[in-house]
Amino acid sequence: MDSSTEPVVSPVQPVVTPEAPATPASAPSTSAAAQNGQVAGNFSSDLISSLQSLMGTVVIAIFVITFIVQAFQIPSESMENTLLVGDYLLVNKLCYGELGAGRYVMPYQRIKRGDIVVFHYPVDPKQHFVKRVIGLPGDRLRLVNKKVFINGTPLEESYVRFLEPPNNLFRDNFPRTDVPAYGLEGKWWLEMRKLVEDGQLIVPEGNYFVMGDNRDDSQDSRYWGFVPRENIIGRPLVIYWSVKDWDRNPLDSVGGRLHHLAYAMSHIFQITRWERTLRLVH
């Protein structure tokens, strides 16, 4: 091969530069100090950014829990078999809203007969109850041998569960102004007597009559009265988790609660009702 066609590689010539003045070993160079300052600045910036992100997440979570959706647990048998003890619900707190100008831009709904609602218990508002709406404002309601009549028309209730024959005068033939019942609120007993006409209970405006689906084992409006509109929190959407009745009464101590939680976490596959988890509520 002709040597003239080979690429010419020139050797790299050393570059001679003036010597830099010596600096003490203990003093960092200007570039090192600048680099350290940049690292510190980046760390501080990242920390602030992370805190801002965390605070934003917390604010969103608080907003969602306060105004949109909240988790509740079913503690009693009053809504069986629709809801069981150990069902954990996500409740839509925005569905009913207010019937003002906002109803034109938000998907608000009216409370309907048959809706399952979560509400502040009128006798003790710190407690939350879940029941089904049976009587609407203005309705005339009565029970005859456990059968609900609204404005003289029998109500079809495929969701109701009965455990006993109709053998309780107050519970099964409501309203009764001559026969009190065990567990009856005294204030409600006096109020109810003023609202009965022709053997029917008249539901006042702004109030709702609610009952449990487990009719023979439910402390509901028959025993303590109406639910005011402002007490209603929302409507359950879905059972996001359902757990078997494995230990309803853990020890009331820090150690007892920790043991309770540890057992649940270590036996989650055994105690979960998988057939009910993620089931819609209706």
Side-chain angles (χ1 to χ4, degrees):
M1 181 180 293
D2 191 349
S3 61
S4 62
T5 60
E6 289 292 311
V8 177
V9 180
S10 302
V12 178
Q13 299 294 326
V15 178
V16 179
T17 58
E19 288 188 357
T23 56
S26 58
S29 65
T30 303
S31 59
Q35 185 176 7
N36 290 339
Q38 184 178 3
V39 170
N42 289 342
F43 175 78
S44 176
S45 177
D46 290 344
L47 180 61
I48 293 174
S49 178
S50 298
L51 289 175
Q52 289 175 337
S53 178
L54 176 62
M55 290 302 297
T57 302
V58 170
V59 169
I60 292 172
I62 293 174
F63 177 83
V64 168
I65 292 173
T66 303
F67 297 104
I68 300 178
V69 68
Q70 189 171 351
F72 291 91
Q73 179 191 0
I74 299 299
S76 74
E77 299 89 351
S78 68
M79 284 296 292
E80 291 183 348
N81 287 325
T82 306
L83 298 173
L84 304 180
V85 174
D87 283 349
Y88 287 77
L89 312 175
L90 288 180
V91 174
N92 183 356
K93 301 174 66 174
L94 195 64
C95 60
Y96 296 127
E98 298 294 336
L99 296 178
R103 70 182 186 273
Y104 297 109
V105 295
M106 299 297 293
Y108 293 151
Q109 306 170 16
R110 291 184 178 275
I111 299 172
K112 304 185 297 298
R113 193 184 339 278
D115 282 358
I116 298 175
V117 294
V118 174
F119 56 91
H120 295 286
Y121 178 35
V123 178
D124 181 6
K126 294 190 296 295
Q127 297 186 49
H128 297 100
F129 277 19
V130 55
K131 305 288 182 186
R132 193 181 295 270
V133 175
I134 302 299
L136 302 175
D139 280 347
R140 292 173 172 262
L141 177 147
R142 69 182 301 185
L143 275 73
V144 179
N145 292 332
K146 299 190 177 187
K147 185 68 176 178
V148 177
F149 288 79
I150 300 292
N151 303 321
T153 303
L155 190 63
E156 296 300 325
E157 300 182 287
S158 59
Y159 42 77
V160 171
R161 178 192 187 195
F162 296 114
L163 299 175
E164 303 173 3
N167 55 12
N168 185 304
L169 293 178
F170 184 89
R171 180 193 66 192
D172 304 331
N173 296 275
F174 183 87
R176 294 292 297 260
T177 58
D178 57 338
V179 181
Y182 176 77
L184 182 65
E185 287 288 330
K187 184 178 179 181
W188 166 238
W189 171 248
L190 297 175
E191 179 185 354
M192 181 186 69
R193 295 161 68 90
K194 301 176 184 178
L195 296 171
V196 176
E197 186 177 293
D198 297 330
Q200 302 174 95
L201 179 69
I202 302 172
V203 184
E205 287 299 320
N207 290 271
Y208 297 84
F209 191 91
V210 300
M211 300 177 72
D213 288 356
N214 189 4
R215 290 291 159 81
D216 297 337
D217 190 14
S218 173
Q219 283 285 323
D220 49 38
S221 285
R222 291 172 291 183
Y223 296 92
W224 42 255
F226 303 111
V227 178
R229 171 63 185 85
E230 59 268 21
N231 281 40
I232 296 178
I233 298 171
R235 186 179 65 191
L237 288 175
V238 65
I239 301 170
Y240 69 89
W241 186 40
S242 183
V243 58
K244 297 175 185 176
D245 188 15
W246 51 278
D247 186 2
R248 194 182 306 177
N249 298 306
L251 295 175
D252 190 17
S253 64
V254 175
R257 288 192 290 270
L258 288 175
H259 174 76
H260 192 256
L261 177 62
Y263 182 91
M265 297 304 295
S266 61
H267 294 76
I268 189 169
F269 292 101
Q270 293 91 333
I271 66 176
T272 297
R273 299 189 190 105
W274 297 104
E275 73 281 1
R276 294 186 63 80
T277 300
L278 301 181
R279 177 185 293 188
L280 297 178
V281 178
H282 51 79

